Amino acid sequence: MTRGLVEELTKSPELSRSGFDALITKTSNGHRDLIPDLEWSPSSWTLKPIKQDVTYEDRGALENALAKLERLPPIVTPTEIIKLKKSLKDVALGKALLLQGGDCAELFDYCGQSTIESKIKLLLQMSLVLIWGAKKPVVRIARMAGQFAKPRSSPTEMHNGVEIPSFRGDNINGYNPEDRTPDPSRLVAAYFHSASTLNYIRAALSSGIADLHSPLDWELGHVRDRGIKAQYERIVESITESLQFMRTVGADSAASGLETVDLYTSHEGLLLEYEQTLTRRLKHPPGKAYPIVSAKASFQTSGDGKGWYNTSAHFLWIGDRTRQLGGAHVEYFRGLENPIGIKVGPTMKEDELVQLLDIVNPSKEVGKVTLITRYGENKVNALLGMHIEAVKASGHVVVWQCDPMHGNTRSTPAGIKTRQFSSILSEVSSALKVHREHGSFLGGVHLELTGDAVTECVGGSEGLTDEDLTLNYTTYCDPRLNEKQALELAFLVAGHYRDEKN
């Protein structure tokens, strides 16, 4: 690429702030200098307008951090990614359910044994309840091992009368006011915290944390409500009796699947410089179909048995604030082999939704895309049906997932952000009803939750009120369901599925 061409491109209003560096930097994992043509590459997003971009003052430090990341090994593998994609195909076809949950925004400090274990146990307990209710297998995806960055409504905020950068997540800047300048070294720290978290997840699962032969070893932690605990214990007792019967007749002699489960990782693909460095051209697993879409989509028709995998997580999603049809994030996501999600909010138009699906999934691969609806309890009945019908008419077969959290956030008179448990349940209940009415089905839920006894969402059987929020309000971003509230929601959603079958 000539210097004159680079200078010309950097004058373009479409070039992102960090696009110049990405444009002229050759990587060590197969990237090439971007030429402005119709082909996709891991850096073609730099020629598109971008939302939620980050400006780094020290460009040299940023280049060094990105170069370091490009040399580091993948965090996840194509085999794991394709296995998840196959499982999500089952969800899209109504053969399984999807449970996705975790922190709104991870902190580096969450990378510890007890914190990781509490989230694993909570997701496993919730999935056990959903299996009991729906009588279907459950695909588990954690908002863990990479969910650091968060989009913000404003790049700055006022602190003691001084305007400072907003907190964007531990992989960008610090929460303390003196740490708000974006620091490129945090990108590398994010990689190692993600890798360490996933490493312990794998170790805990292989060591029997999810062994269904002894489910009563799963501590209920802070779940003190006798009704919920008795309900859970009845479900566990039913499963235990089934397992005992299998052992008696010798049906579990080779059933290693009863001793562990699959738990996949996910995060919002917000910081594209980071995502680009971990996008690697790797061999497809044996038996992986290789779709051919068009001559222009060279990344899918090369025939070399390889594809572009984002190896930072198994599953990534595009946020409601970065889903512009001609934007950088949609451009980046359209070239990935990974299964992906798209947040669908109240401002999404039906034709826009179909165009998005055509861009990111032109081959109409079943279950490749998960549509994560987040309308709010008062809007779901008016909007979801139109979106369902538009997608059905387009020929795309997607996973429909309800995010009942983001559309139901409010602030108390004291200025504390919270969510009402009844509003969360109401949106899920309404989504189930609307899907039934339109001959569709809700494939799963997407929740912000924690295994700790926080007081961030109000309501539920625990009866938390606005006055209780200050007891243990620890989130640095949005309010999360605590363990008791999350399990209660699982019981209630499982009850809906069970009622449908009766």
Side-chain angles (χ1 to χ4, degrees), residues 329-341:
H329 289 81
V330 172
E331 169 63 22
Y332 171 75
F333 271 74
R334 77 178 179 91
L336 299 179
E337 295 285 348
N338 305 59
I340 63 172

Side-chain angles (χ1 to χ4, degrees), residues 211-213 240 242-259:
D211 188 349
L212 289 182
H213 289 96
T240 302
S242 298
L243 293 172
Q244 288 174 343
F245 173 78
M246 293 175 67
R247 285 196 294 271
T248 300
V249 300
D252 76 333
S253 58
S256 60
L258 298 176
E259 299 168 358

Side-chain angles (χ1 to χ4, degrees), residues 319-325 343-353 356 372-376 379-380 382-384 386-387 407:
D320 198 41
R321 294 175 179 172
T322 55
R323 56 170 174 75
Q324 296 76 23
L325 291 173
K343 287 291 186 84
V344 179
T347 61
M348 178 79 82
K349 306 299 182 185
E350 295 99 299
D351 59 344
E352 180 186 12
L353 177 55
L356 260 177
I372 311 165
T373 60
R374 32 96 72 224
Y375 307 110
K379 298 178 181 179
V380 58
L383 297 173
L384 177 57
M386 296 186 296
H387 287 150

Side-chain angles (χ1 to χ4, degrees), residues 9 12 15 17 26 50 52 70 87 137 144 153 173 178 219 224 261 270 292 315 335 364 422 436 463 466 487:
L9 286 172
S12 169
L15 193 65
R17 296 171 187 170
K26 291 183 178 179
I50 189 168
Q52 300 289 326
E70 287 168 346
S87 295
M144 290 175 67
S153 57
N173 57 5
E178 60 271 19
E219 296 179 8
R224 308 297 184 190
V261 298
L270 186 63
I292 294 182
F315 180 99
K364 296 185 178 179
S422 59
R436 265 197 319 270
D466 288 3
L487 266 179

